[in-house]
Each structure stands twice: as C-alpha cells, then as structure tokens.
Amino acid sequence: MARRLPLLESTAARGVGLTLPPELGTPQPRRPPAYAVWELTLRCDLACKHCGSRAGRARPDEMSLSEALRLVGELADLGVLEVTLIGGEAYLYPGWLEVVAAIVARGMVCTMTSGGRGIDRSLAKQAASAGLHSVSLSVDGIGPTHDALRAAQGAYEQVLKAYEALRDAGLSVAMNSHVNRQNQHQVEQLFDLAVDQRCHGWQVFLTVPMGRAADSPDLILQPHDLLTLMPRLTALSERGRAAGLRVLPGNNIGYFGPSERRLRGQLRPGAASSCGAGRSVIGIEANGDIKGCPSLFTRDWVGGNVREHSLRAIWERSERLRYFGQRTVDDLWGFCRSCYYAEQCKAGCSWTASAFLGRPGNNPYCHHRVLDFEARGLKETMVPIEAAPGEAFDRGLWSIQVEAIG
C-alpha cells in the first residue's frame, strides 16, 4: 500500500489551518540549548510505516542553502554544542555537505540520523571529509521486519552496507530503533546487531501514534507492555556495558520506575529529570520553524520562524519554547497530577502524552505508573477514538480505558 506523503502549507499560507505562534514576549535570558535537531529537508527515499513527519516530498518552502548557512551562525552564537541533521533524509538536501562543514567550522559537533538507503562509500567519504562526526542509522527489525516497517524491500541489506561504508570512511556509527508490536520480539536481536556493527550507542524509543504511525493503531504498544519491555531493556543495558555498547533510553522510555537509575545512570539528575523540550534541546523544521523538540506537533508548538525573527529572539522570547521549563504540577492532569514523582517528572515526555491524549501533562507510558496500576490489579489500555488528518507531524486522539488485569 502506498504511504501518504505530507500535505504542507507554504510559509505565506501557513496560517491556513494552523494556530500561529503567539507574539514574541519580553526577552528572558536563559541557558542556551546544548543540542539542536535540524530537519534539513522532508524529502526522503523511504516511506516508513511509523514516520512521524510523513516524510517523502520536500516542503515547498524549505530554506535555501544561504538561509541554512546563516542559521548555522545563529546556532553557534546562541551557544549550541551539537547539531544532529535529520530529514526526511538530510543527504537529499542540496548543499548538505556545506552545512556540515559550516557547523564544524563554527566549533559545533555535527552528527546525522539516517535510514541509510543512499549511503554508499562515496557519500560516506564526502561526509567524513566535511567533518561529520557520527551517523546513527535507524534499524527497526531484522530482515523482513525492518523492510516491512520501512516499506521498502531490501532496506535491511542496504542499511548493513551503509554501516560498512561509514566505518570504512572512518566515521563513528550508532543505531536507533523504535519498538512497537511488529518488532518487540526482536529487541535482543537488535542489540546483538548493534554490537556486531561496532556501534558506540543504541538508542531505543517507543513508537507513538504520530504521522504515519497514527494510521496504524495496531502497531502501538500498550502501557502494560512496559512490564516486560523495561526489564528486557535493563538487562540489555547491563550487557551493553560489558560489550562496549551504550544503551540509551529515548526520551519516551521510563519516567520513572525501578529501572531508571540502572538504565540512565546520571543522565537524568535533578533539573534534567523532566521533558527537555525547549530546555536542553531545540528542534528546527526545514522551513525555519522552531520548536522546543523536533518531535512536537507543528500545529501546536512552533514558537517562531527564523525568517521572521532571530533564533536568539525566538529562544528567549517565545512562550511556546519556554513552556516546558516553566510549567508546574498545576499544569499536570490525570494520574500524573497526584503522582509521587510529579514535581520532578512533570508527566515525562510531552511528545508521547500529546500524541495520545492531545495535550501534555498526563503520560500513561510510564514504568512507575504501570507498576502502580498492576499493584492494584488494574491496567490502562489506550483506545483510538479519532483519526489523524494526514499532515506532517499530526496526531489523532486516544482515550484511556482502565481494566482489571486478567
């Protein structure tokens, strides 16, 4: 079945069907984001079943190379330390190697996340020469499972060839995987693959119903699946230490539960214990729209556009980017409002909560929460009630059904 490609408005028309960002408010100097995730283009050579941005075609109003190079300077001036280029596929953006070289020239680390389909020896060597530091390839299953999720026969063999090309070019490699009902039985095999490919890290996320994944509700894990998944990831994390592979739980894994310290170590101390959107991270869309996190929904969370305001002005003045650093327990609802960890956690990953329930502040995909319900003989089941409209970074709506276990 053909995958739907994004229906995207131009900059001039982006007010149509969208909620425009609020007027930029009073400047509020604050610590700059350490990490920027930059969607160079939505153009893609895959049409993955779980793609949150529905990547395929380029946005009609994507930034020119000169605009992109100017933004590199603004990122450096703001104080960003590392920039990860994503897509679509970043290597399909004309001039992407110039962007890589400019990032490195300004003293920032440049990395890339890719599906790997078009990475051959020539491209890998060019990327290394430009100064690209590391590439994380997305692998979401072994053999046919990966091909099915990527909607491309042969995608698995291509990603293995990409690993070889990158290593031969002297680039550091990593792996990232989304876990869902179609591939959860292969989590241990994915770990073994990351070790075999000499990856320095393996980052694991839960697939959430956003973009194309919203069109396949049967793909989505239920909260109570964490009862078995979290111990498995914890065991793999400990195996990874012995094998020299760092297992990195994604931003929507955990919150909080008995595995947190073993999984993350000191990755989530004190003030870093909640959602990092608009605090330690910033997301950039290919048309210059700025969000607090690259995964957040365009309709709700764009804080400004670098064609209209400087990046510093957006960072220091946009209420949408400041929201997650300023919210309190009073902004939480449902179970999370009264949770023992409410003050620290503030409902965890805002992307996950919003993808299911339409707004942040109540996240059913929390290990502590699942265990709390289990102790009372209950479980929460997510039920889809409204389909997604079919736009990039869109979502439908789900409800929570509480049931007795068994």
Side-chain angles (χ1 to χ4, degrees):
M1 181 184 296
R3 302 287 174 203
R4 283 189 287 172
L5 296 174
L7 305 174
L8 297 165
E9 296 84 0
S10 68
T11 297
R14 71 171 181 269
V16 179
L18 294 175
T19 302
L20 289 175
E23 290 299 320
L24 296 184
T26 304
Q28 181 180 322
R30 59 196 186 109
R31 179 175 298 181
Y35 186 49
V37 182
W38 185 351
E39 171 205 285
L40 269 184
T41 179
L42 265 191
R43 188 177 174 189
C44 195
D45 48 20
L46 291 165
C48 302
K49 186 177 180 180
H50 55 302
C51 178
S53 62
R54 300 184 185 271
R57 300 189 185 103
R59 297 176 187 268
D61 55 350
E62 291 183 352
M63 287 187 288
S64 66
L65 179 58
S66 61
E67 289 176 312
L69 294 175
R70 183 174 67 246
L71 180 55
V72 169
E74 292 194 56
L75 286 164
D77 292 341
L78 184 60
V80 170
L81 302 177
E82 180 177 342
V83 181
T84 295
L85 302 179
I86 64 170
E89 274 293 358
Y91 59 68
L92 295 178
Y93 178 79
W96 78 281
L97 291 170
E98 293 180 61
V99 175
V100 172
I103 291 169
V104 176
R106 287 302 307 267
M108 296 177 286
V109 175
C110 185
T111 60
M112 182 170 75
T113 297
S114 170
R117 188 175 189 182
I119 296 179
D120 56 17
R121 293 182 183 277
S122 174
L123 187 145
K125 289 179 180 178
Q126 293 177 63
S129 297
L132 190 66
H133 175 72
S134 176
V135 179
S136 180
L137 296 179
S138 301
V139 187
D140 296 305
I142 304 300
T145 303
H146 177 82
D147 289 358
L149 283 166
R150 296 279 156 184
Q153 188 172 359
Y156 183 72
E157 292 303 319
Q158 289 167 334
V159 82
L160 296 184
K161 291 178 181 178
Y163 269 123
E164 183 178 3
L166 293 166
R167 290 196 310 269
D168 288 349
L171 285 164
S172 177
V173 295
M175 190 169 85
N176 61 85
S177 305
H178 275 253
V179 180
N180 50 59
R181 289 202 173 279
Q182 197 160 332
N183 67 8
Q184 63 174 328
H185 64 290
Q186 295 181 340
V187 166
E188 286 76 14
Q189 290 172 270
L190 286 167
F191 170 90
D192 291 338
L193 177 65
V195 173
D196 291 343
Q197 296 300 323
R198 303 195 291 277
C199 294
H200 64 81
W202 176 44
Q203 191 162 33
V204 186
F205 299 87
L206 300 178
T207 301
V208 302
M210 175 180 179
R212 290 195 193 103
D215 302 336
S216 302
D218 58 336
L219 191 66
I220 307 302
L221 293 174
Q222 288 293 340
H224 47 82
D225 288 319
L226 297 181
L227 292 171
T228 54
L229 178 62
M230 293 299 291
R232 291 167 66 195
L233 292 178
T234 303
L236 291 175
S237 178
E238 293 172 353
R239 282 180 56 194
R241 293 187 189 100
L245 173 69
R246 190 176 186 185
V247 177
L248 300 165
N251 55 341
N252 67 352
I253 295 282
Y255 296 102
F256 264 56
S259 299
E260 278 303 291
R261 182 64 62 183
R262 295 166 69 189
L263 274 173
R264 282 189 167 85
Q266 296 300 318
L267 286 179
R268 186 181 281 164
S273 60
S274 183
C275 179
R279 303 167 73 206
S280 59
V281 66
I282 192 170
I284 306 166
E285 295 191 347
N287 63 358
D289 282 341
I290 304 298
K291 302 184 290 188
C293 166
S295 299
L296 288 173
F297 306 95
T298 299
R299 282 181 176 271
D300 302 330
W301 293 107
V302 168
N305 188 285
V306 293
R307 285 170 167 157
E308 300 163 1
H309 306 281
S310 72
L311 181 63
R312 182 175 295 278
I314 296 170
W315 178 253
E316 294 182 348
R317 299 172 63 182
S318 170
E319 289 296 328
R320 288 184 175 178
L321 267 65
R322 293 202 298 245
Y323 172 79
F324 297 106
Q326 295 178 337
R327 65 177 173 172
T328 68
V329 172
D330 290 338
D331 294 302
L332 310 184
W333 56 286
F335 178 94
C336 291
R337 176 67 177 265
S338 59
C339 177
Y340 174 82
Y341 293 109
E343 189 63 43
Q344 280 182 284
C345 179
K346 296 187 177 67
C349 178
S350 303
W351 162 50
T352 302
S354 299
F356 282 96
L357 301 173
R359 59 186 174 120
N362 186 25
N363 179 14
Y365 285 81
C366 163
H367 194 202
H368 167 73
R369 176 169 173 162
V370 171
L371 288 168
D372 181 281
F373 272 87
E374 183 192 37
R376 292 180 278 137
L378 301 172
K379 66 178 182 179
E380 291 182 298
T381 300
M382 306 305 296
V383 180
I385 58 174
E386 184 179 309
E391 303 168 352
F393 294 101
D394 64 347
R395 56 169 172 76
L397 196 63
W398 298 57
S399 66
I400 302 174
Q401 180 176 318
V402 179
E403 305 171 317
I405 292 176

